[in-house]
Structures are given as C-alpha cells and as structure tokens.
Amino acid sequence: MDYNKDDFKRKLRLVLDDIEKLLVQKNEAYGDSALNPSRIFSKADPAEQIRVRIDDKLTRIAKGTASGEDSEKDLLGYLVLLQITKLNQ
C-alpha cells in the first residue's frame, strides 16, 4: 500500500476534530472540572486527578467493563487534557 500524505492528513484531522468535539462537549457538561476541579475531597492537582481518571479508564478497558462509551476515545481525551495541564504550568 502506497503512503498518501494527503489521505493521512485528512484522516488525522477527522479523528482530532472528533476528539475536540468530545472534549468541548464534556467541558461544557461538567463545567471545566478536569482542568479546574472543585477540590471538595481531593486536593490533588489537575494533572494528578487526570492521571487517576486515566488509570480508571485503563482498568475498565482491561476488564472489559466499559459502560457503552467509546473508551478509546475517552482515553485519548484524557491524554489530551493531561497535555493541556502542561501548558498551564
């Protein structure tokens, strides 16, 4: 199969646009809780809280207990959020 740079870029944009939509939708639904947590019980910084969510997601994927959501897409979203926390440092 020949490498098609334009096809790769088009597919990449589709996937990244989909992740962006997911993150914007969740950010609106949950009130920016990933990057600005309320810290009622946990005093961990946002990056550490996202790492915990990643661990939880990986555990559900490994056990096959994901509850209907697209676990891989959710995982990508959490990894993007983790990268965003590095911009806030």
Side-chain angles (χ1 to χ4, degrees):
M1 176 179 247
D2 290 331
Y3 173 72
N4 183 325
K5 180 177 149 184
D6 291 332
D7 190 48
F8 171 78
K9 288 171 74 173
R10 182 185 62 77
K11 289 175 181 177
L12 177 62
R13 179 54 32 215
L14 287 172
V15 170
L16 294 176
D17 285 348
D18 197 37
I19 297 299
E20 179 183 11
K21 287 176 192 171
L22 173 73
L23 289 173
V24 168
Q25 181 183 40
K26 286 190 171 193
N27 186 270
E28 290 171 357
Y30 297 113
D32 201 27
S33 64
L35 298 174
N36 294 299
S38 59
R39 292 191 172 93
I40 295 168
F41 289 107
S42 173
K43 303 302 180 199
D45 65 79
E48 188 59 28
Q49 289 186 9
I50 292 169
R51 288 185 190 99
V52 170
R53 292 176 185 176
I54 291 169
D55 282 344
D56 291 342
K57 183 61 67 175
L58 289 170
T59 298
R60 287 193 295 277
I61 291 170
K63 291 184 175 185
T65 57
S67 60
E69 75 274 0
D70 186 332
S71 296
E72 291 173 356
K73 191 186 301 184
D74 283 346
L75 184 57
L76 284 168
Y78 285 130
L79 291 168
V80 169
L81 290 171
L82 188 57
Q83 290 298 305
I84 291 171
T85 65
K86 294 178 181 181
L87 299 174
N88 292 337
Q89 294 176 349

